[in-house]
Amino acid sequence: MRIRATVAAVSGALALSALAVPAAQADDGRSWTVDPGFSVSPSSEGEKSKQAFGATAKAAAPKVTSAVVNGGKPIAVGTKSKQTVPFTATATAGAGVGGVAAYIWIKNDAVGDMGFGPNGKSITCKAVNATTTTCKGTITLDPKDMVSSDATWWRVGAEAVTEEGEEFGSDAVSKVRVQRFSKLTVNASPEPVKKGKTITVTGKLTRANWDTGTYKGYSKQSVKLQFKKKGAKSYATVKTVKTSSSGALKTTVKASADGTWRYSFAGTPSTPAVSAKGDFLDVK
C-alpha cells in the first residue's frame, strides 16, 4: 500500500487529505512507502492566529511533539471488516503549523513493510498557540493487506507542514499494538441435569488468521471455566482448561445449582481478551 499524505490551504482554512494508492507487489513480499506530498500556501488564517495569540514566529526547528493512535490502546482487527481508529497529533514550528497527520507502519522482513495512512476527510485541526497545532482524525486498517505476523507493535509516524510550506515529520513518534481479533464459545450439557450429576462444558477459542482470511483455533492456551449462580452478580472461576491443537475446550464438572457457565480468556500480546456469552444450565 502506498500512502500519499497531503496538506492544503483551501479557502483560507487548512485541510488535510490522504490518498492511498496500491503499490507494486514484489515477488518476495509487500511494498509500502510513505510518499508525502504536502503543499500549503501562506494563509491569512495563519497570520490571524498568530496575532490573536499575541506572538510572532520564532526560528524554532519544526518538530512533531506527539502522535497517539487509538488512545494508546491495542487495535483488534478481524478477518473481513476494516477497523477505523482515531489519532491525535501535535506539531510545532516557528513559522506556525499548517497541519499534521499520523500514520502507522510495521517493519516485516519476511513479507515486506506495511502501513496505513490518515483518512483525509476525517481530519480537523486547532491552533494551540502561534507555533503549535493539534490535529485529530482517523486511520483505517484493512485485514486484506495484513498477515498474521503483523500482530505486534506498529510504529506511529506523523507528517506535518509549516505555514510556509516546509515539510517535516518523524516515522517513529510512538507505537501502538495491533492484535488478531478473538472469539470464544461455550456449551454446557446435558440440559436439564439432576443435581450432583456430571456435566460436560465444551467450547472453542479462535482468532483471526490474516493469511487465510478465516478464524483459526488458538492452541495450547489457558482458559478459565467460570460459573455464575442464578441471582449472583459476578462469575467465579472453577478451574483452568487448556485448548487443544484446534483451539477446542472440554472439561467436566458436577452440577450443583442453576446458573450460567462460560469460558474466559485473559489474552496474549497478539490476541485480545475475550469471554464467551455464557450458557445457562437448569439443574433439577
Side-chain angles (χ1 to χ4, degrees), residues 21-34:
V21 181
Q25 177 77 31
D27 292 337
D28 58 349
R30 301 175 294 185
S31 176
W32 177 80
T33 60
V34 175

Side-chain angles (χ1 to χ4, degrees), residues 24-189:
Q25 177 77 31
D27 292 337
D28 58 349
R30 301 175 294 185
S31 176
W32 177 80
T33 60
V34 175
D35 185 12
F38 292 117
S39 63
V40 67
S41 58
S43 69
S44 59
E45 292 298 319
E47 292 303 321
K48 289 178 180 178
S49 66
K50 293 174 185 177
Q51 294 173 9
F53 284 109
T56 57
K58 297 180 180 180
K63 181 181 180 181
V64 175
T65 56
S66 68
V68 179
V69 173
N70 202 38
K73 298 179 293 184
I75 305 169
V77 182
T79 60
K80 305 296 182 184
S81 300
K82 297 178 182 180
Q83 186 70 20
T84 298
V85 295
F87 75 79
T88 301
T90 300
T92 184
V97 177
V100 56
Y103 61 91
I104 64 172
W105 71 284
I106 183 174
K107 184 173 181 59
N108 192 321
D109 294 331
V111 295
D113 300 348
M114 188 62 209
F116 297 102
N119 299 316
K121 293 183 179 180
S122 71
I123 302 173
T124 59
C125 298
K126 182 178 181 180
V128 177
N129 54 44
T131 60
T132 304
T133 294
T134 294
C135 297
K136 297 181 179 182
T138 61
I139 296 171
T140 298
L141 290 75
D142 190 342
K144 293 186 297 182
D145 295 324
M146 302 167 70
V147 293
S148 293
S149 58
D150 288 336
T152 184
W153 288 107
W154 287 49
R155 300 176 190 181
V156 178
E159 293 293 329
V161 64
T162 70
E163 290 279 5
E164 295 178 343
E166 178 186 356
E167 300 170 18
F168 63 99
S170 172
D171 64 4
V173 183
S174 63
K175 59 184 180 179
V176 65
R177 186 179 288 282
V178 177
Q179 297 179 315
R180 297 161 64 177
F181 189 82
S182 55
K183 297 180 178 181
L184 185 56
T185 63
V186 67
N187 182 63
S189 63

